[in-house]
């Protein structure tokens, strides 16, 4: 009985078609010695490391596929945040430049509604990304809003437990124009601060997501993947 391995048998394990992993092993013919020769061939393949190499290649492919899907999802989420941050930047600029003493009630209300809506969208979607740059700026935004809670309340704007803003349109319309100007106008005003941070968030959202976790190590052991381990931010 010969223990030599048929090259055609081993060649199938060097292909990139991993479907053979779970398929049945090739059967030997009666002319080659029957089932005993087949068992010897299978045993020799295990000893030579063919199965190990196949498993390694299979799991590497599966890990790569998961990484590609994760990066695609993360990239889409960052693009969404970037778009919302861009809208917030525009809305904040409008408030910063508005002359409340001359603006009509309709224009003033339209401006603040746009700002509140854009801000809420940014805060809502920032939680869906794994970017230190985006999350850092989102936290800064919520903190500065809380510091301005007193004046915001006078203008009919309240901050919820989820950091979302709620606008009382009637109270805003009836509120002091001087208070509106003191809070939102000027280079040190709340609006300009939001313009600056929204710009930084937009820049952070354009950074490429990088997958850095690997489910299987070279020795075959498994590494648990956490959200913190999955993505690397360049900022």
């Amino acid at each position: 009985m010969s223990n030599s391995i048929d090259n055609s048998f081993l060649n199938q394990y060097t292909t990139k078609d991993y479907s053979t992993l779970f398929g049945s092993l090739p059967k030997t013919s009666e002319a080659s010695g029957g089932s005993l020769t087949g068992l010897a061939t299978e045993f020799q393949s295990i000893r030579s490391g063919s199965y190990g190499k196949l498993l390694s290649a299979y799991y590497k492919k599966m890990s790569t596929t998961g990484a590609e899907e994760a990066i695609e999802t993360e990239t889409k989420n960052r693009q969404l945040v970037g778009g919302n941050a861009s809208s917030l930047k525009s809305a904040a600029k409008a408030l910063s430049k508005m002359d409340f003493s001359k603006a009509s009630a309709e224009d003033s209300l339209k401006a603040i509604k746009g700002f509140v809506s854009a801000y809420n969208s940014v805060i809502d979607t920032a939680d869906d990304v794994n970017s230190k740059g985006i999350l850092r700026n989102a936290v800064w935004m919520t903190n500065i809003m809380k510091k301005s809670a007193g004046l915001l309340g006078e203008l009919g704007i309240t901050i919820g437990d989820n950091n979302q803003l709620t606008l009382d349109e009637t109270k805003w319309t009836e509120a002091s124009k001087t208070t509106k100007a003191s809070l939102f106008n000027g280079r040190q005003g709340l609006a300009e601060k939001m313009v600056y941070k929204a710009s930084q968030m937009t820049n952070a959202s354009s950074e490429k997501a990088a997958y850095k976790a690997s489910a299987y190590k070279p020795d075959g052991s498994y590494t648990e993947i956490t959200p913190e381990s999955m993505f690397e931010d360049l900022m």
Side-chain angles (χ1 to χ4, degrees):
M1 181 183 300
S2 173
N3 287 335
S4 62
I5 302 174
D6 186 353
N7 288 333
S8 63
F9 171 73
L10 286 182
N11 286 342
Q12 69 175 306
Y13 293 103
T14 62
T15 180
K16 294 182 179 179
D17 180 9
Y18 303 105
S19 62
T20 58
L21 175 61
F22 299 112
S24 60
L25 292 170
K27 297 180 179 179
T28 58
S29 65
E30 291 295 327
S32 63
S35 59
L36 289 179
T37 301
L39 289 174
T41 301
E42 294 169 20
F43 178 69
Q44 183 64 21
S45 296
I46 294 174
R47 291 188 63 186
S48 68
S50 296
Y51 284 154
K53 293 177 181 178
L54 179 59
L55 284 169
S56 177
Y58 175 80
Y59 284 121
K60 181 178 180 181
K61 177 183 178 183
M62 295 300 293
S63 179
T64 300
T65 300
E68 291 174 349
E69 292 176 352
I71 290 175
E72 181 179 359
T73 298
E74 173 70 6
T75 299
K76 288 180 179 179
N77 289 340
R78 291 190 184 193
Q79 290 173 344
L80 179 59
V81 174
N84 290 335
S86 181
S87 297
L88 175 59
K89 180 179 177 180
S90 297
K93 276 187 176 180
L95 276 179
S96 177
K97 296 179 179 180
M98 177 165 283
D99 186 343
F100 289 100
S101 64
K102 297 180 180 179
S104 66
E106 291 76 13
D107 288 343
S108 175
L109 181 59
K110 181 180 179 180
I112 193 61
K113 286 176 67 177
F115 174 80
V116 168
S117 176
Y119 176 86
N120 286 344
S121 294
V122 167
I123 299 304
D124 182 51
T125 54
D127 287 340
D128 297 328
V129 299
N130 289 284
S131 163
K132 293 179 182 178
I134 290 175
L135 295 175
R136 183 166 55 241
N137 283 291
V139 169
W140 187 94
M141 287 180 178
T142 59
N143 285 339
I144 199 65
M145 279 293 180
K146 290 175 181 178
K147 290 179 181 179
S148 303
L151 287 178
L152 286 169
E154 291 182 26
L155 300 176
I157 302 172
T158 55
I159 306 171
D161 293 335
N162 59 354
N163 291 314
Q164 299 281 299
L165 303 180
T166 300
L167 174 66
D168 183 328
E169 296 184 13
T170 301
K171 190 171 183 178
W172 169 267
T173 301
E174 297 175 350
S176 165
K177 293 181 179 181
T178 300
T179 302
K180 295 175 184 177
S182 65
L183 179 60
F184 291 107
N185 291 163
R187 296 190 62 180
Q188 297 302 316
L190 179 61
E192 277 299 317
K193 291 178 181 178
M194 291 297 160
V195 168
Y196 176 64
K197 285 300 176 180
S199 295
Q200 289 190 320
M201 187 174 287
T202 300
N203 292 336
S205 69
S206 66
E207 299 289 356
K208 184 178 180 180
Y211 188 83
K212 52 188 291 190
S214 179
Y216 289 89
K217 296 180 180 179
D219 62 1
S221 60
Y222 182 77
T223 301
E224 183 178 0
I225 299 175
T226 64
E228 292 76 16
S229 70
M230 287 178 67
F231 299 98
E232 172 180 79
D233 194 90
L234 301 180
M235 290 188 68

